[in-house]
Amino acid sequence: NAGVTQTPKFRILKIGQSMTLQCTQDMNHNYMYWYRQDPGMGLKLIYYSVGAGITDKGEVPNGYNVSRSTTEDFPLRLELAAPSQTSVYFCASSYRGSSYNEQFFGPGTRLTVL
Amino acid sequence: GIQVEQSPPDLILQEGANSTLRCNFSDSVNNLQWFHQNPWGQLINLFYIPSGTKQNGRLSATTVATERYSLLYISSSQTTDSGVYFCAVGGGSEKLVFGKGTKLTVNP
């Protein structure tokens, strides 16, 4: 199993540009998440999904959109990129069964908006 | 929402020393995870431990849910243990709330 994979690893955007961060998991997990990590801080939840076709906002959703058309994929869309979106983005997944919900993280995408 | 506090914020050790990292949280939780973020930024799962005690090699963790804290023990530290250690908790929803982390530096 490759686990959780993310592309690209690095990206530089100009203010106002748009892009999609890709996330794929091959563990047949039903739950998927997007977090961002600003320098010197812990991670904050942007959006999450409990299954295909279902998404919900996290703590910091403004400026982002998500979709979940398949179990495996959970892309994150940035519209009109702003310098405040410069961050490292992590995708995660988990299998929610009864009370067990350990999350597994991808390697991250480092995004700079200039 | 749940608040998570980790201590100490920074820790410098000599190789071979032992250390204890602490995570306090403000409400009851049904998910608690410890992560190691290595110098390349990768997040590595250490423990899934909403309660009880677990051990994995030189690392062990204990969560006392009734008193709202968790401890991560690192014994015989090695330079490869350097990085940031995060505690993250979830309290009844699917969301993990992360602490700010403990930055560990292990010198040879």
Side-chain angles (χ1 to χ4, degrees):
Chain A
N1 284 353
V4 180
T5 57
Q6 294 182 235
T7 56
K9 287 186 171 54
F10 304 94
R11 183 73 185 267
I12 298 175
L13 283 182
K14 294 182 179 178
I15 294 172
Q17 288 185 320
S18 301
M19 76 164 293
T20 299
L21 281 65
Q22 301 292 344
C23 175
T24 300
Q25 55 91 10
D26 63 357
M27 298 177 282
N28 202 29
H29 285 171
N30 48 357
Y31 285 43
M32 296 186 74
Y33 314 81
W34 275 105
Y35 294 85
R36 60 176 286 173
Q37 183 181 27
D38 297 328
M41 303 294 288
L43 281 67
K44 293 186 177 181
L45 184 66
I46 304 172
Y47 271 95
Y48 68 100
S49 168
V50 301
I54 305 170
T55 63
D56 205 351
K57 296 178 180 179
E59 185 181 355
V60 288
N62 292 344
Y64 307 95
N65 280 300
V66 293
S67 60
R68 183 101 181 267
S69 57
T70 67
T71 300
E72 296 79 18
D73 301 306
F74 191 40
L76 178 71
R77 178 80 177 165
L78 279 72
E79 305 282 2
L80 299 175
S84 61
Q85 293 177 305
T86 294
S87 191
V88 181
Y89 292 83
F90 288 95
C91 180
S93 71
S94 67
Y95 179 75
R96 180 63 184 248
S98 65
S99 61
Y100 180 77
N101 190 25
E102 183 177 6
Q103 296 188 20
F104 296 86
F105 284 75
T109 293
R110 188 174 297 273
L111 176 67
T112 302
V113 182
L114 300 175
Chain B
I2 293 178
Q3 305 297 315
V4 181
E5 290 188 5
Q6 292 186 242
S7 60
D10 294 278
L11 187 58
I12 300 174
L13 301 174
Q14 287 299 121
E15 204 167 22
N18 302 329
S19 61
T20 300
L21 283 58
R22 188 176 180 101
C23 172
N24 292 335
F25 43 94
S26 61
D27 207 342
S28 59
V29 298
N30 59 12
N31 184 355
L32 190 146
Q33 294 184 235
W34 282 98
F35 298 91
H36 174 213
Q37 188 167 41
N38 63 23
W40 296 271
Q42 185 181 9
L43 276 171
I44 299 164
N45 288 39
L46 296 178
F47 294 103
Y48 173 82
I49 187 166
S51 64
T53 298
K54 290 186 177 180
Q55 181 161 5
N56 184 3
R58 296 181 296 105
L59 273 61
S60 64
T62 295
T63 297
V64 184
T66 53
E67 297 187 20
R68 300 181 184 170
Y69 73 88
S70 183
L71 302 174
L72 177 69
Y73 305 96
I74 304 174
S75 64
S76 304
S77 58
Q78 301 175 357
T79 56
T80 52
D81 295 331
S82 295
V84 182
Y85 289 80
F86 287 104
C87 169
V89 304
S93 71
E94 319 316 326
K95 309 169 187 180
L96 277 181
V97 177
F98 280 74
K100 292 184 177 181
T102 292
K103 183 177 180 181
L104 175 64
T105 303
V106 181
N107 292 322

